[in-house]
Amino acid sequence: MMERMEQPMNQTLLSRFAALLAALVLCCGCAVAQSAPFAPIYEVPGAPQLTDDGFVPDDSQEAYYLLFDNEAGEWAYIDHEMFIHIKRFNGVVERDRTLIWYETEVKVKPGVKFVTQHANPEAIGRRFMWAQDLATQLNSILAISDDFYGFRVYAKRKPGVIIQNGQILADDSLKQPHWSLPTYDLIAYFSDGSMKTYLAGSIGAQELLAQGATDTWCFGPVLLSEGQIGQQVLDKQFEYINPRMTLGMIEPNHYFIMTVEGRHRNSDGVGLIWVAEQMRDHGCTEALNLDGGNSIKLVFMGQILNSQRHYNEKNDRTVTSLITLGTFPLDTLDLGDK
């Protein structure tokens, strides 16, 4: 009896050992994948040796690296917890449209986040400022135009689902997406650094807060959800050419922003299919269209990088708020004529 059981028992032990070994190999493979060094979309000219996470090492003699080159159309700021790289592009895109656009890659350590800042926090929407003046006042490293929320408050329009810094500011949206802008779709930022897009009417502020959302931006339409282009975009509802601003997530704590100039002789503007495809092709899985038109602003170290003022000052617009990232004592910088 004992001899007849020995072979099955050995086979069972061998099977268990093989399964354990396979699990260990799989776990090791996952660990290797998760610890792969950060590879930026574009190489940053002159950047120092960075950590595997993409930051300046803690023991570096320099606290940060700064690149500011208006002529080449390239800007960067990298420190111990933040990686920001902006590149300007010129080209002819779909339907022979001449276009100027900017691609901004952002990577941060957990806990470092985008923050919506208002020109008048005590009375949101009641003060308008030039974007570069507001960004300088806030000492923002990076600032972009946002979701039109402050203006909706000012104009007494439906506000949407708005959470900022863990506080619900508004929870009054449409029951389904609009077929004009804004559609009231939103992108939510969560405490783990992830972002997720939602169609208008599909979720409320309380539910988002319960799931760990700390901030939302409500405009739309959804450009990408789980890597798929939004249906309203595919239906070509927003293919008219315009300046565009987008915000998307590649993975938690790793983001991508596109800023597209338009309405002037050097840049026509573009529809949303091209923008959505660009966001997807750069690795984004979630992305939202933000407020566009002449309101789009991309400000780096207090200086505006895109501006319709270069072409038609009358069409430039002030803002009531900005999405900002990081702070720096801007009065200590001497960028000269760079």
Side-chain angles (χ1 to χ4, degrees):
M1 186 72 145
M2 292 284 290
E3 290 179 358
R4 285 197 296 271
M5 290 184 61
E6 184 176 356
Q7 186 174 3
M9 287 180 66
N10 287 341
Q11 289 177 344
T12 301
L13 289 173
L14 285 172
S15 298
R16 289 177 179 176
F17 177 76
L20 179 60
L21 183 60
L24 287 172
V25 170
L26 181 61
C27 289
C28 289
C30 292
V32 170
Q34 291 173 356
S35 61
F38 168 64
I41 296 173
Y42 304 107
E43 183 179 350
V44 181
Q49 183 68 40
L50 304 178
T51 65
D52 285 350
D53 292 332
F55 308 116
V56 172
D58 290 336
D59 58 358
S60 173
Q61 293 183 351
E62 301 294 334
Y64 64 90
Y65 170 76
L66 176 63
L67 171 66
F68 202 102
D69 193 337
N70 282 332
E71 184 176 352
E74 196 149 13
W75 304 265
Y77 175 84
I78 311 171
D79 64 14
H80 304 308
E81 59 181 16
M82 192 181 314
F83 173 100
I84 300 170
H85 185 207
I86 307 168
K87 280 180 68 71
R88 183 179 64 222
F89 294 86
N90 301 268
V92 177
V93 300
E94 58 178 15
R95 302 179 188 176
D96 294 326
R97 290 169 178 162
T98 301
L99 208 64
I100 299 172
W101 74 95
Y102 304 76
E103 299 180 4
T104 303
E105 182 178 16
V106 172
K107 188 168 188 296
V108 297
K109 284 189 174 179
V112 179
K113 62 187 285 290
F114 291 103
V115 178
T116 300
Q117 304 264 27
H118 298 274
N120 186 348
E122 288 73 32
I124 290 174
R126 302 305 299 178
R127 185 184 182 191
F128 291 78
M129 295 180 65
W130 296 116
Q132 59 270 38
D133 293 341
L134 177 55
T136 299
Q137 176 180 296
L138 296 168
N139 281 316
S140 299
I141 296 173
L142 176 68
I144 64 172
S145 47
D146 59 4
D147 61 358
F148 206 58
Y149 165 65
F151 185 82
R152 290 200 294 272
V153 172
Y154 172 80
K156 298 182 180 179
R157 299 179 183 177
K158 190 175 288 292
V161 176
I162 304 296
I163 301 172
Q164 292 179 4
N165 290 319
Q167 300 295 317
I168 296 176
L169 302 188
D171 193 8
D172 182 13
S173 189
L174 300 179
K175 293 182 179 180
Q176 59 187 9
H178 232 259
W179 288 94
S180 61
L181 297 179
T183 66
Y184 284 87
D185 297 343
L186 65 88
I187 191 166
Y189 172 88
F190 294 87
S191 55
D192 65 353
S194 64
M195 289 182 175
K196 179 75 178 77
T197 54
Y198 298 89
L199 296 176
S202 65
I203 197 166
Q206 291 289 352
E207 185 178 353
L208 283 166
L209 209 62
Q211 292 179 7
T214 63
D215 298 85
T216 63
W217 295 279
C218 181
F219 196 83
V222 167
L223 298 176
L224 294 170
S225 177
E226 297 181 354
Q228 302 299 311
I229 296 178
Q231 190 58 50
Q232 281 192 307
V233 176
L234 292 174
D235 289 343
K236 300 183 179 181
Q237 295 297 315
F238 304 99
E239 279 308 283
Y240 47 87
I241 60 175
N242 247 338
R244 304 290 185 179
M245 177 69 78
T246 71
L247 174 62
M249 180 195 74
I250 297 174
E251 59 184 359
N253 301 307
H254 189 190
Y255 314 106
F256 188 73
I257 298 163
M258 283 196 68
T259 309
V260 181
E261 292 192 14
R263 298 182 184 173
H264 63 74
R265 64 180 180 272
N266 293 330
S267 188
D268 296 325
V270 76
L272 288 182
I273 289 180
W274 183 85
V275 175
E277 289 174 344
Q278 293 298 307
M279 297 292 285
R280 179 197 61 196
D281 293 348
H282 283 78
C284 289
T285 58
E286 305 287 326
L288 187 77
N289 179 55
L290 296 174
D291 182 25
N294 289 342
S295 299
I296 65 164
K297 303 299 171 190
L298 175 62
V299 187
F300 179 69
M301 290 294 180
Q303 297 198 22
I304 194 158
L305 303 188
N306 78 291
S307 179
Q308 312 315 100
R309 302 188 77 193
H310 300 317
Y311 310 100
N312 189 342
E313 187 170 343
K314 292 181 180 179
N315 284 339
D316 200 10
R317 293 180 184 171
T318 52
V319 299
T320 64
S321 54
L322 292 168
I323 300 173
T324 69
L325 179 67
T327 58
F328 192 93
L330 297 182
D331 57 356
T332 67
L333 287 178
D334 182 12
L335 299 175
D337 295 328
K338 293 183 179 180

